Amino acid sequence: MIAQVIVDVVHTNVDKPFSYLVPDGMKLALGSRVRVPLGKRKVDGLVTGLLTDDQLPTEVPIHKLRPIDSVLEDYPALLPPLILLAEQMAQENHCPLSETLRLMLPAAMRTGRIKQKQELYVKLSQVDGEAEAAKLKRAPKRATLLRLLKDGEARSVSELAQLVSNPRESLKALEEAGLVTVEEREVFRSPYDQEDEKRSEAPPLTADQREALQSMLPSLTQGNGAFLLHGVTGSGKTEVYLAMVKQVLQQGKGAIVLVPEIALTPQMVRWFRNRFGHSTAVLHSRLTDGQRFDEWRRIRLGDARVVVGARSAIFAPVERLGLIVVDEEHEQTYLSDKHPRYDARRVAKRRCENEGATLVLSSATPSILSFAMARRGDYTLVEMPNRVNERPLPEVTVVDMRVELEAGNRSIFSTLLAQKLGECISRGEQAMLFLNRRGFSTFVSCRSCGYVVKCDQCDLSMTLQRSGPDDPGELRCHMCGAVRKPPDVCPECGSKYIRYFGSGTQRVEEEMHKLFSQVKTVRMDIDTTKGRDAHAKLLDEFGSGRAQVLIGTQMIAKGLDFPKVTLVGVVAADMTLNLPDYRAPERTFQLITQVAGRAGRADRPGQVVVQTYKPDNPCILAAAHQDYRAFFELEFARRRTGLYPPFTLLARLLVECPDEAGAKEMADRLYEIMQTYLLSHAPQKRRVLMIRADEAPVKRIRGQYRYHVLLKLFDHPDASPILRQMAELTALGDERCHIYCEVNPATMM
Ligand code: ADP
Ligand code: ZN
Ligand code: ZN
């Protein structure tokens, strides 16, 4: 036998399978991880093909092949469908196969740092435990142990040690007497709170839920179908997923449910654990390496059939996949920010097509792209226009902050929001205040000359962090973590009028305390949620009712379900609108609609106050009316006339280099090559709307200067050779100067 092995080394030189001899008696399958010689080194690799001697390509002389060193696990780490997926992704992203294969395995498995955890288990031999215990009057500890084991179930030594002090000696004696057997077993490190688990049943479904299921369930049996589930906030979409997963399990198949960020939606995991118990596994970045490895193994070995996880869970090794759900499909977190830059929604579609599974993308505010695809017929649109139990959507009021200022109100809160807050608090209900900014204020700028304090390394404005009004605080760069003291006078012009501009979550919290000194608040932003359990603790503080007001950045916009929240304040709706990104209106609409959706989810109706300096902006108005269709038509038309995606593609070659001249030179060179390429490729050239070499929007990050060659292309098959050409040019990079090819990146920094 000959094995074709992709070595785990990311380099274009080794981006093809190498052939190795399989030694006699070595147990090996497609997808097994192996250790193989490569030149003078030994490296890990993955078996992607198995051939008999006569299938070997003739250019490889069989006597020159070297044998495989060893097999790393006694089961194949990757199943054939995932190998296929890795191959497709490598082709699509123009990157080495070893790079996409890496996505499919837990990092701890590759590095070999984490081992399977073994524990000693004890079991009664074929004897009557009670009778034997009665004989051991002189050895009470041994007798107790026998009684604990008399039901014949195996118990771990660590469990017994909690009931009987130092049981090891006694167990040894019992083993020697042939009364018990002791064996090593693998145990899984678990990320769950055992006490938290209580089983629950599905409630009677609403009419919307039943109709949605009627359109989607038949596809599960047929093993096909791709749906876009558009359901307003609070329409009970989760219950629809649960019903679908239940049927998938009954059919002996498995499911993957992707959520934007698990730490923010602990409720989702709880719902699935309560319904499906031990068959649910979770996969996300906040698990320890050991927990992640063990959850992955539980899925791989079929112990868990339902996976709830963040973006990378799309690669979970679920066998016989029946369903993939992408919850809140509009979220940016589904775009990978590392190379290879994949879009989990696209990967989900691919996997479903490959493996005969059903795809459900779901959101109250679908992305423009997905909704456009649904209209084109790529997805079947399923709508849930009503909230559960005829609860009304919250009532939204837009407040013009310019009028507030004219009337002399310089506070962060409009008169209306302050009044509603007061009413909400005195009724004993809860409120959420939402601000798309973190820190006490976003940046420090000079009112005389406009100077803004920026990070030396990153060319980004620094954020001021203060513990209170008397604290001078410190400036922090959110890209690289650099810290500095805020200046007393402007370093440019010497003016004293250098001050904190705008308002952040800390300032909202402070003003809140000025207005209502007795009210307990919780602040959730990137600074208060660093630890492993920080999210869960803060959410619990609020969920339990110990705090009455939750103040946060966009992270509180996502799927939270707190029944006592009746008021939501959007403190500054314009912030995202002013971002230099063609998706700014889409983001703004999504954020306002999503946060508004947190209000009035139970029996008491919700109210929303949206504060803005642009009360006539059509996207703010559509959000206030929670009218997705109106927003979609508006935005789709704007994208068509402005030639933005999905009508066009934005692609760039990004150069990062420690010296500026080097970065610029490389970008200019890439620009020249692209121009030459286009001159000799007329059909491709016709699809190019714009090409230019330029500084990247953020000129420096972590000391690396950044330049790019930016192209705007019509989304047309003729344009794809251009992307291939761009991807090939990344090979011109070296150790100093990196080149990345990005197509429609999540953010264009
Ligand atoms: P969405 O994700 O659509 O915003 P959720 O799935 O979070 O909505 O559901 C909103 C709330 O309604 C949750 O508290 C959920 O438990 C409850 N709910 C969902 N379906 C039903 C039902 N059929 N009967 C009663 N309550 C339901
Ligand atoms: Zn100045
Ligand atoms: Zn920095």
Side-chain angles (χ1 to χ4, degrees):
M1 278 293 260
I2 314 282
Q4 308 245 267
V5 174
I6 292 281
V7 292
D8 189 14
V9 175
V10 173
H11 201 287
T12 40
N13 287 347
V14 294
D15 186 24
K16 54 177 188 294
F18 292 124
S19 298
Y20 290 92
L21 288 174
V22 182
D24 282 340
M26 181 178 272
K27 283 228 178 67
L28 198 74
L30 222 59
S32 291
R33 291 199 323 130
V34 289
R35 195 139 183 89
V36 291
L38 182 74
K40 292 203 175 77
R41 296 190 287 163
K42 292 263 164 65
V43 295
D44 291 351
L46 195 107
V47 177
T48 57
L50 284 169
L51 312 173
T52 52
D53 295 2
D54 52 323
Q55 288 173 310
L56 189 69
T58 45
E59 72 270 15
V60 190
I62 194 155
H63 63 275
K64 283 212 168 153
L65 293 187
R66 299 161 78 182
I68 290 176
D69 228 48
S70 57
V71 185
L72 293 176
E73 284 97 13
D74 55 8
Y75 58 92
L78 278 192
L79 299 163
L82 284 178
I83 299 178
L84 171 67
L85 185 69
E87 286 167 351
Q88 292 168 332
M89 285 179 68
Q91 224 174 35
E92 245 179 56
N93 291 290
H94 313 281
C95 67
L97 179 54
S98 54
E99 205 173 320
T100 52
L101 284 173
R102 280 183 183 181
L103 294 170
M104 324 245 155
L105 296 169
M109 184 174 193
R110 282 185 44 239
T111 57
R113 270 179 298 136
I114 295 285
K115 294 274 168 282
Q116 293 172 26
K117 193 172 164 188
Q118 304 284 346
E119 239 183 88
L120 284 177
Y121 271 75
V122 189
K123 198 175 168 203
L124 200 64
S125 307
Q126 303 286 12
V127 295
D128 180 342
E130 187 57 55
E132 294 294 333
K135 290 189 218 157
L136 288 168
K137 290 219 174 57
R138 293 285 195 74
K141 200 189 261 187
R142 280 181 241 171
T144 312
L145 285 166
L146 282 180
R147 290 200 173 96
L148 285 169
L149 292 164
K150 73 179 176 195
D151 60 2
E153 293 289 322
R155 298 236 146 60
S156 70
V157 173
S158 59
E159 183 190 341
L160 292 172
Q162 293 183 341
L163 306 166
V164 179
S165 64
N166 302 323
R168 282 180 187 264
E169 282 292 309
S170 312
L171 285 172
K172 198 146 175 250
L174 289 171
E175 190 187 12
E176 276 160 11
L179 295 173
V180 302
T181 51
V182 180
E183 60 171 21
E184 277 217 317
R185 280 198 195 174
E186 183 185 2
V187 290
F188 294 107
R189 283 153 286 210
S190 161
Y192 312 103
D193 236 346
Q194 237 68 38
E195 299 120 52
D196 232 28
E197 315 246 311
K198 44 182 186 292
R199 300 305 285 262
S200 65
E201 292 298 319
L205 298 181
T206 66
D208 276 8
Q209 286 168 335
R210 279 200 309 273
E211 271 169 44
L213 285 170
Q214 250 162 34
S215 359
M216 296 194 286
L217 284 179
S219 289
L220 289 180
T221 314
Q222 290 151 21
N224 60 14
F227 298 92
L228 178 62
L229 176 60
H230 174 213
V232 297
T233 56
S235 56
K237 295 186 283 295
T238 315
E239 205 54 62
V240 174
Y241 316 154
L242 288 164
M244 291 186 83
V245 169
K246 187 173 166 199
Q247 174 154 336
V248 164
L249 289 176
Q250 279 165 357
Q251 293 170 345
K253 297 193 269 187
I256 299 175
V257 179
L258 290 190
V259 294
E261 203 186 320
I262 265 214
L264 304 178
T265 45
Q267 288 167 322
M268 186 66 94
V269 177
R270 212 170 306 137
W271 275 326
F272 275 84
R273 293 283 299 184
N274 289 349
R275 207 62 67 79
F276 306 115
H278 194 66
S279 324
T280 311
V282 298
L283 283 178
H284 57 89
S285 59
R286 284 186 189 234
L287 301 181
T288 64
D289 280 351
Q291 288 170 340
R292 192 162 342 134
F293 181 49
D294 286 359
E295 285 293 89
W296 183 89
R297 281 175 44 77
R298 284 210 309 126
I299 302 162
R300 175 65 190 83
L301 302 176
D303 185 41
R305 314 280 305 136
V306 184
V307 181
V308 181
R311 181 178 62 224
S312 61
I314 193 60
F315 304 114
V318 177
E319 245 176 307
R320 289 175 42 75
L321 185 68
L323 171 71
I324 299 180
V325 175
V326 183
D327 186 36
E328 313 280 3
E329 69 85 27
H330 62 278
E331 285 290 342
Q332 295 302 306
T333 50
Y334 291 124
L335 296 169
S336 168
D337 47 6
K338 293 189 212 73
H339 292 266
R341 287 176 183 271
Y342 63 90
D343 177 341
R345 291 162 298 194
R346 274 178 74 111
V347 179
K349 192 154 188 276
R350 245 301 158 51
R351 245 195 115 167
C352 286
E353 284 162 6
N354 287 347
E355 299 177 46
T358 304
L359 174 67
V360 178
L361 302 182
S362 168
S363 175
T365 52
S367 62
I368 294 289
L369 184 62
S370 295
F371 203 81
M373 283 173 77
R375 280 227 303 212
R376 205 171 66 186
D378 292 348
Y379 303 122
T380 308
L381 186 66
V382 175
E383 300 198 88
M384 292 170 54
N386 306 298
R387 280 191 156 183
V388 169
N389 296 341
E390 282 135 54
R391 283 165 206 153
L393 278 170
E395 176 201 317
V396 182
T397 317
V398 176
V399 175
D400 185 344
M401 291 306 276
R402 294 169 307 184
V403 176
E404 292 286 318
L405 204 64
E406 273 164 32
N409 178 7
R410 276 172 222 286
S411 137
I412 289 181
F413 300 125
S414 58
T415 319
L416 184 74
L417 182 53
Q419 177 205 329
K420 298 252 180 219
L421 266 171
E423 290 167 7
C424 170
I425 288 164
S426 62
R427 283 197 305 265
E429 296 165 1
Q430 287 183 308
M432 281 183 180
L433 295 176
F434 164 75
L435 191 76
N436 189 22
R437 270 189 192 179
R438 66 185 158 225
F440 193 84
S441 67
T442 311
F443 49 93
V444 172
S445 70
C446 171
R447 281 203 287 179
S448 302
C449 76
Y451 168 85
V452 175
V453 182
K454 288 186 170 181
C455 173
D456 298 336
Q457 295 294 310
C458 301
D459 190 40
L460 281 171
S461 43
M462 297 181 92
T463 312
L464 187 74
Q465 311 283 321
R466 292 205 281 167
S467 57
D470 306 321
D471 177 8
E474 59 183 23
L475 287 163
R476 185 179 289 271
C477 170
H478 277 288
M479 188 58 74
C480 72
V483 172
R484 253 213 269 170
K485 265 182 52 189
D488 299 321
V489 294
C490 172
E492 285 293 293
C493 73
S495 155
K496 286 191 313 227
Y497 295 102
I498 184 152
R499 51 160 265 163
Y500 322 117
F501 187 87
S503 53
T505 41
Q506 282 192 11
R507 239 193 100 196
V508 173
E509 192 174 36
E510 254 175 52
E511 293 236 354
M512 181 71 216
H513 286 148
K514 265 192 231 154
L515 279 177
F516 309 99
S517 54
Q518 78 290 4
V519 170
K520 196 153 177 342
T521 57
V522 173
R523 176 162 64 89
M524 262 183 100
D525 55 30
I526 214 159
D527 299 307
T528 62
T529 51
K530 290 219 171 89
R532 196 178 291 282
D533 300 320
H535 284 100
K537 285 206 183 102
L538 292 174
L539 287 177
D540 184 56
E541 185 79 10
F542 188 65
S544 66
R546 285 193 296 279
Q548 235 183 326
V549 181
L550 179 64
I551 298 164
T553 54
Q554 66 256 48
M555 57 169 66
I556 63 172
K558 292 172 192 163
L560 298 179
D561 186 38
F562 291 116
K564 278 178 73 184
V565 173
T566 56
L567 176 66
V568 165
V570 181
V571 177
D574 313 334
M575 281 179 180
T576 43
L577 208 51
N578 295 330
L579 290 176
D581 185 326
Y582 74 90
R583 281 160 299 200
E586 184 177 4
R587 298 266 167 79
T588 308
F589 177 84
Q590 287 163 353
L591 286 169
I592 296 178
T593 314
Q594 292 286 344
V595 283
R598 300 311 114 207
R601 291 171 74 86
D603 36 354
R604 279 170 280 189
Q607 293 185 32
V608 181
V609 177
V610 177
Q611 303 191 152
T612 172
Y613 289 90
K614 294 177 180 163
D616 305 323
N617 182 288
C619 134
I620 299 227
L621 287 174
H625 295 129
Q626 298 171 69
D627 187 346
Y628 178 80
R629 288 290 179 131
F631 170 73
F632 175 82
E633 297 303 341
L634 201 86
E635 181 59 14
F636 200 62
R638 189 188 71 90
R639 297 235 185 138
R640 180 184 287 124
T641 43
L643 291 172
Y644 290 112
F647 298 96
T648 56
L649 292 172
L650 288 176
R652 70 167 174 176
L653 284 163
L654 174 68
V655 181
E656 290 191 347
C657 191
D659 73 290
E660 180 163 13
K664 185 167 183 331
E665 227 163 76
M666 179 59 87
D668 288 343
R669 186 169 153 215
L670 292 170
Y671 177 79
E672 289 305 322
I673 297 174
M674 286 308 297
Q675 286 289 19
T676 315
Y677 168 86
L678 291 174
L679 277 180
S680 57
H681 294 76
Q684 276 71 49
K685 189 164 193 300
R686 267 202 300 279
R687 306 299 163 191
V688 178
L689 279 153
M690 177 205 81
I691 169 166
R692 82 171 181 247
D694 215 344
E695 284 176 3
V698 181
K699 198 176 156 189
R700 206 145 78 105
I701 291 184
R702 294 187 183 89
Q704 299 282 316
Y705 284 91
R706 309 168 82 240
Y707 275 74
H708 65 195
V709 180
L710 184 63
L711 284 90
K712 198 175 196 179
L713 310 167
F714 280 112
D715 193 357
H716 185 278
D718 276 350
S720 52
I722 304 178
L723 301 177
R724 231 172 358 257
Q725 165 73 11
M726 288 174 71
E728 277 168 23
L729 289 179
T730 58
L732 293 178
D734 53 34
E735 246 109 88
R736 260 173 71 74
C737 207
H738 292 274
I739 304 173
Y740 303 100
C741 176
E742 300 178 347
V743 181
N744 284 343
T747 52
M748 187 76 88
M749 284 204 301

